[in-house]
Amino acid sequence: SPSPSHPPGAMAAGGSRWHSCLGVIVSRQGQRVQQFQQAEDILLTLLEHVHGAEPRFLVDYCRNLEAFEFTLRTSEDAVRVEVPLRLDGDALRVSPCQPGKLGTCHLEVPSAVTGVEDWTSAGDMERGSGTARHLAPGKVLQHLKELLVSAIVHCQRRFLLQPGDLSAENLKEDAIELSLLIRGGWKTVRFDIVPVVRRQQKPLRLQGRQRDRGFPEGSLQKHVAVHFLSRSSAHLPVLKLLWAVDTLQGPRLDSLRLLEQLSSQDWREEDGSTGLSFDHLKMVLLWSTELFPSPEDWQDLEGSVYRLLVVLLRCLATRRLPHFLHPGENLFHGEPLDLASLQQKVEAFAQDPPRFLRFHFGHPASTKGLQADPELRALLRLPDGDRAYWDTAYFDILLSQLQVYGIQDDARRSAMSQLLAKVQKEIPTRS
């Protein structure tokens, strides 16, 4: 049965390999900052022209969070850029527009709000004697798209853009964002441009969870609600939480960097088409921060990575990655992911990290000869109906099984032992 233990000597001896791998990732950060800033300069020039032609589209010059995220990752996921509307978001009413579909909404515009008549459509819900109007996402997007095209033409004529600086091919796509490919140095950055309405947010209700557990005090309360016209968005609040995690001691973000490198290098399909996104891994880090609130958990790089690994493995085994701010939302739902294959790859890394802690190109590292641990599999398959298997004691059992526990807190060790006694009664009947 699992028992608490310290990292084995082999893992401790391989610590330099962890840090060597991380060093390569971190060494690229300065270059990525420069790439982002160069591409951002071009984007801001376009958005300033858009604002000049239509003052209802505002330019948000504070891109520190987006730049911060861009330098954290190695993948080429798009950078999401929000274009706020000059609109009193607090005067709008938010109502669900698709029952049962989390996050989708109508933004209803009261009659007192003027100046957006060309952006609204009549709704089918009665408000007193009149018919409610709501913002029509298609109209706003079409207007923004036309203005972006005009801005591109203007900048080309004024020689503010050089050949190859920008590709607007993706503007033709019918989506909730407008995509531009912009060159930053020798690298191309994809920006997904999204018009948004910002509203004051009530303090978050964490559904029975302890407020700010593991995070700097107040960090879960300081954000503004954002709506992508037809659905709510937690993009900026999540980035702000990531920023807050960066103020905590320990290699938490370094753990995220390493897993993101592994994901893009070894955990994708052979053709590189599908795999975990950086958004998935960000959510795993946020849950790990809450589930492991003690500084004792984040003292070294290997142990920190394993905190993220056990949470990720549980999510893959149960086929459910809850959104940190909206736990009812499963971030795996609707994703084209082979979760069973991903679980095997993550388990293979957890069993033999040195095999994967290297940079290579082409095919992923081989997992031949690595067999699944039946006891670990049985622990991961425990039913997720009650929250007993989404708390620190359960994940401590997983860390112990992987021989990376090493926690000295007596109360915490006792909680793990009590849950382990319950688990050992369940596993024989389910394995």
Side-chain angles (χ1 to χ4, degrees), residues 322-392:
H323 193 289
F324 185 75
L325 297 178
H326 309 286
E329 180 181 351
N330 178 12
L331 296 179
F332 285 156
H333 180 71
E335 293 277 356
L337 298 173
D338 184 342
L339 298 179
S341 173
L342 274 168
Q343 183 181 340
Q344 289 180 332
K345 292 171 183 176
V346 177
E347 283 180 7
F349 171 77
Q351 290 175 12
D352 188 9
R355 184 180 295 205
F356 302 89
L357 288 173
R358 58 191 178 86
F359 288 88
H360 58 82
F361 301 95
H363 292 295
S366 171
T367 59
K368 289 181 180 179
L370 291 175
Q371 300 296 321
D373 180 343
E375 193 160 11
L376 177 63
R377 278 287 175 94
L379 286 166
L380 292 171
R381 284 202 305 263
L382 286 166
D384 63 346
D386 76 61
R387 301 290 288 182
Y389 303 123
W390 190 259
D391 71 354
T392 304

Side-chain angles (χ1 to χ4, degrees), residues 23 89 115 122 131 147 178 188 229 298 324 329 346 352 364 372 391:
T131 303
L147 291 171
L178 304 172
T188 298
L229 304 186
W298 307 97
F324 185 75
E329 180 181 351
V346 177
D352 188 9
D391 71 354

Side-chain angles (χ1 to χ4, degrees), residues 124-152:
D124 54 7
M125 294 162 287
E126 296 296 323
R127 291 287 181 194
S129 59
T131 303
R133 299 175 300 157
H134 60 262
L135 278 179
K139 292 183 178 182
V140 180
L141 275 170
Q142 183 60 33
H143 193 186
L144 181 55
K145 181 190 294 187
E146 292 168 356
L147 291 171
L148 278 171
V149 170
S150 174
I152 293 169

Side-chain angles (χ1 to χ4, degrees), residues 40-50 151 155 160-161:
E40 180 194 40
D41 285 345
I42 294 174
L43 178 64
L44 287 173
T45 300
L46 295 175
L47 292 178
E48 286 168 353
H49 188 270
V50 167
C155 290
L160 299 174
L161 289 174

Side-chain angles (χ1 to χ4, degrees), residues 2 306 309-311 313-314 375-376 379-380 393-404 416:
Y306 271 91
L309 282 177
V310 291
V311 174
L313 282 170
R314 177 61 171 169
E375 193 160 11
L376 177 63
L379 286 166
L380 292 171
Y394 168 76
F395 289 107
D396 277 349
I397 292 174
L398 293 182
L399 290 172
S400 175
Q401 178 70 24
L402 292 165
Q403 298 188 324
V404 285
M416 183 186 73

Side-chain angles (χ1 to χ4, degrees), residues 65 68-69 72 215 237-247 253 256 278 282 285-286:
L65 290 172
F68 169 66
E69 180 185 35
L72 275 180
F215 289 86
V238 165
L239 282 186
K240 288 179 181 178
L241 284 178
L242 206 61
W243 187 281
V245 169
D246 194 30
T247 67
L253 292 186
L256 177 63
F278 192 61
K282 282 189 300 189
L285 173 63
L286 294 181

